[in-house]
Amino acid sequence: MDFNITPKVMLDTIGLDEVVEFAENPEPRCPCVLLLDTSGSMQGEAIEALNQGLLSLKDELNNNSLASRRVEVAIITFDSNVNVVQDFVTADQFNPPILTGQGLTNMGAGIHKALDIIQERKAQYRANGIAYYRPWVFMITDGEPQGELDHTIEQATQRLQTDEANKRVAFFTVGVENANMSRLSQIAVRTPLKLKGLNFVEMFVWLSASMSAVSHSKVEEQVALPPIGWGTV
Amino acid sequence: MDTSKQIPHWRVLAASVCGTSHLKNQQLCQDAHHFSILPDNILVAAVADGAGSAKLGKVGAMIATETVIDYLSIQGITQRTLADDNLVRSLLMEAMLAAYKAVEEEAIACNKKPQDLASTLIITIATPLMAAVAQIGDGLAVAKDTMGNLIALTLPDFGEYINETIFLVTPGALDTAQVRLWREAIVNVGVLTDGLQMLAMNMSVRAPHKPFFFPLFDFVASAEDKTMAKEQLVRFLRSDRITQRTDDDLTLIIAALSN
């Protein structure tokens, strides 16, 4: 009888979680580029709502401890220029910029830049042995390409469509207010969504939930996303 | 006492627990496992991880694992027959195929697509002298030899993206299955689904992590009271240390040859 007691007591007092050690691997990363239209027409209410939305994206991602370590956000703005205003950072390090609107709509160059930084980021992940999820680009615009050569836009469109087809990226387009939805659907592979009003906060809450879902789920190909309440197809 | 007459036998502990993210969304645990100890000291074990994107991933995982063990249990396999490499390979592949067919039939019966029952699948056959594994998708199977070496029988199979893997029902999956035969004396076997992958494997060198497996192997080897040991294993899988690092479903089968 007594013989049986000792090992049981041992097992009870020394839990497995005290003796089993874990491998130290870097967190897998879930990169997301926000490709934002900051042209003149966005100035005013729209850009303010967008800035609010970015703050809620940060808060939402940080509510999920795994997502805050796995989701990496980068922000590219496009107007008459294209700027990487935020290079990739994990959500816990993300401090949303305050954006202002001015100039034209260099969307083609913006798309190129987004695909460029994704390619670079993947190379960095691979060089450092970091596993990653399929990158997302979330393009938000209230217009259509403007102030660029047709050739630039065509090239960007073609590259985007090749990258989608080869699963290098999942590219989502959101149109705001007077966005030219039919023009946008010629550029993107996935059907662009129309934002209801300036409901950026709800949209970014959704984006956070989707990225959180992606960052811990396993899928065959398509990402199963939460229902969209903030927009329409 | 003459200990030389004691024949070592398999001691097995297995558990699947629901990941915290699934608990939060009130989803079922999508993992399943099944195992059996057959005559002649043959252990057969299977784990499966239902795809998050599949509506009936859990059902697919359960059917796959149960079918595999049912199939292997009635083949009358012995250590002698397992000495034939070709036979082992065909046993594993036939078991995979049986699982695939069972999942497909269930899909038809439920008026669903096989993709709705998508899951990974790892099948292991182990004797004191060999281990053989077939695997589709991610997850990991390891063995420890008598010298204390930890052998990666299989490695997780994912593509460029860590969350995109192949499943039993993926067209052509059976042709790409990893199949591995290991013919050395072994003392332990461990099989797990991808939820534990990042904790149990050093990803940069793609090798299983000894300090993860060895204490677990010691634990199962000395587990006299199976019920209590299983409770402890479940407690471990639900411990804060684990849930802080992974919110996925977790499945672990650990086995030890002991006297």
Side-chain angles (χ1 to χ4, degrees):
Chain A
M1 280 291 276
D2 284 342
F3 282 104
N4 281 332
I5 289 168
T6 324
K8 280 186 190 173
V9 171
M10 285 258 300
L11 289 177
D12 260 358
T13 49
I14 303 172
L16 272 174
D17 62 331
E18 288 170 56
V19 291
V20 176
E21 289 176 35
F22 300 146
E24 290 295 336
N25 291 305
E27 285 288 349
R29 302 299 159 83
C30 195
C32 178
V33 177
L34 303 175
L35 179 56
L36 308 177
D37 183 344
T38 48
S39 62
S41 56
M42 286 288 286
Q43 187 54 30
E45 252 187 283
I47 207 90
E48 273 166 35
L50 180 57
N51 284 328
Q52 276 302 315
L54 291 175
L55 288 172
S56 53
L57 174 66
K58 177 192 166 70
D59 292 345
E60 288 296 318
L61 285 174
N62 282 308
N63 277 341
N64 183 320
S65 72
L66 271 179
S68 71
R69 282 176 281 148
R70 291 183 176 179
V71 175
E72 288 193 335
V73 180
I75 299 179
I76 296 174
T77 57
F78 57 97
D79 39 59
S80 295
N81 300 298
V82 170
N83 288 306
V84 180
V85 294
Q86 170 71 70
D87 204 352
F88 285 106
V89 278
T90 45
D92 54 355
Q93 318 259 334
F94 172 46
N95 282 311
I98 295 169
L99 304 173
T100 55
Q102 60 277 305
L104 301 173
T105 314
N106 286 353
M107 188 183 289
I111 292 171
H112 271 303
K113 192 69 191 171
L115 300 177
D116 285 345
I117 68 167
I118 280 174
Q119 220 172 320
E120 287 159 19
R121 194 64 176 166
K122 282 185 181 177
Q124 287 169 352
Y125 292 148
R126 283 193 289 262
N128 292 288
I130 297 174
Y132 56 94
Y133 299 83
R134 190 191 308 194
W136 278 25
V137 178
F138 220 71
M139 181 170 80
I140 299 168
T141 177
D142 70 340
E144 60 186 320
Q146 194 192 18
E148 281 179 309
L149 296 173
D150 284 350
H151 177 68
T152 312
I153 301 151
E154 268 163 39
Q155 242 189 358
T157 302
Q158 229 160 45
R159 181 175 174 198
L160 170 56
Q161 299 191 343
T162 311
D163 278 10
E164 265 291 355
N166 294 323
K167 299 183 190 169
R168 292 189 194 122
V169 68
F171 193 102
F172 299 88
T173 309
V174 178
V176 183
E177 293 190 322
N178 298 319
N180 184 344
M181 299 307 284
S182 61
R183 182 77 185 95
L184 293 177
S185 60
Q186 291 163 357
I187 295 170
V189 174
R190 290 163 202 262
T191 312
L193 294 159
K194 182 77 196 286
L195 187 68
K196 287 182 189 161
L198 292 174
N199 211 344
F200 282 114
V201 170
E202 200 185 325
M203 187 200 77
F204 278 117
V205 169
W206 175 90
L207 179 61
S208 166
S210 302
M211 297 300 287
S212 303
V214 168
S215 69
H216 62 57
S217 75
K218 183 166 44 178
V219 295
E220 189 157 29
E221 275 189 10
Q222 279 291 334
V223 188
L225 300 176
I228 294 167
W230 47 266
T232 50
V233 175
Chain B
M1 194 165 70
D2 182 3
T3 52
S4 66
K5 278 189 186 152
Q6 285 187 332
I7 300 169
H9 61 277
W10 289 110
R11 272 190 190 164
V12 188
L13 286 173
S16 295
V17 306
C18 193
T20 51
S21 65
H22 288 173
L23 285 174
K24 230 182 273 169
N25 302 326
Q26 300 187 317
Q27 283 172 309
L28 289 171
C29 170
Q30 308 273 7
D31 278 10
H33 69 267
H34 205 48
F35 69 88
S36 182
I37 299 165
L38 307 181
D40 204 19
N41 237 344
I42 297 167
L43 168 67
V44 289
V47 304
D49 178 355
S53 57
K55 290 183 203 97
L56 298 173
K58 169 75 177 183
V59 177
M62 284 173 66
I63 291 173
T65 50
E66 278 166 27
T67 306
V68 161
I69 300 309
D70 289 351
Y71 175 85
L72 292 175
S73 301
I74 55 167
Q75 301 304 312
I77 44 181
T78 62
Q79 291 200 31
R80 246 182 78 149
T81 57
L82 290 177
D84 178 350
D85 283 3
N86 288 332
L87 184 127
V88 175
R89 278 176 215 280
S90 82
L91 263 180
L92 289 169
M93 291 320 292
E94 288 297 322
M96 278 278 178
L97 191 61
Y100 175 83
K101 283 183 179 158
V103 169
E104 203 178 34
E105 276 166 25
E106 178 70 16
I108 292 166
C110 301
N111 210 1
K112 301 273 182 202
K113 288 178 292 185
Q115 278 69 25
D116 293 329
L117 285 81
S119 79
T120 63
L121 181 59
I122 307 178
I123 306 172
T124 310
I125 303 174
T127 76
L129 294 174
M130 60 87 73
V133 187
Q135 172 167 337
I136 291 177
D138 49 14
L140 180 66
V142 300
K144 192 176 107 178
D145 70 12
T146 48
M147 310 288 289
N149 297 306
L150 188 61
I151 300 122
L153 296 171
T154 55
L155 287 170
D157 186 2
F158 54 82
E160 180 181 7
Y161 305 127
I162 187 167
N163 60 331
E164 296 185 1
T165 188
I166 54 167
F167 298 112
L168 180 62
V169 296
T170 307
L174 291 171
D175 303 328
T176 60
Q178 294 184 61
V179 179
R180 180 83 186 274
L181 259 69
W182 181 264
R183 292 206 181 274
E184 301 267 353
I186 57 166
V187 287
N188 294 102
V189 176
V191 191
L192 50 84
T193 54
D194 77 318
L196 286 167
Q197 223 161 256
M198 297 292 279
L199 310 184
M201 229 188 104
N202 296 303
M203 301 296 278
S204 55
V205 289
R206 292 184 68 72
H209 189 59
K210 278 188 184 180
F212 178 86
F213 286 101
F214 284 10
L216 287 166
F217 287 155
D218 291 345
F219 173 68
V220 63
S222 63
E224 300 281 345
D225 182 331
K226 259 184 128 171
T227 316
M228 225 176 75
K230 174 156 180 176
E231 274 170 29
Q232 248 195 303
L233 183 64
V234 169
R235 239 190 344 264
F236 166 63
L237 293 175
R238 291 199 174 129
S239 66
D240 291 344
R241 264 188 77 213
I242 286 201
T243 54
Q244 277 161 10
R245 288 170 178 242
T246 172
D247 59 357
D248 202 356
D249 295 337
L250 309 170
T251 292
L252 184 60
I253 299 184
I254 43 176
L257 275 175
S258 47
N259 292 310

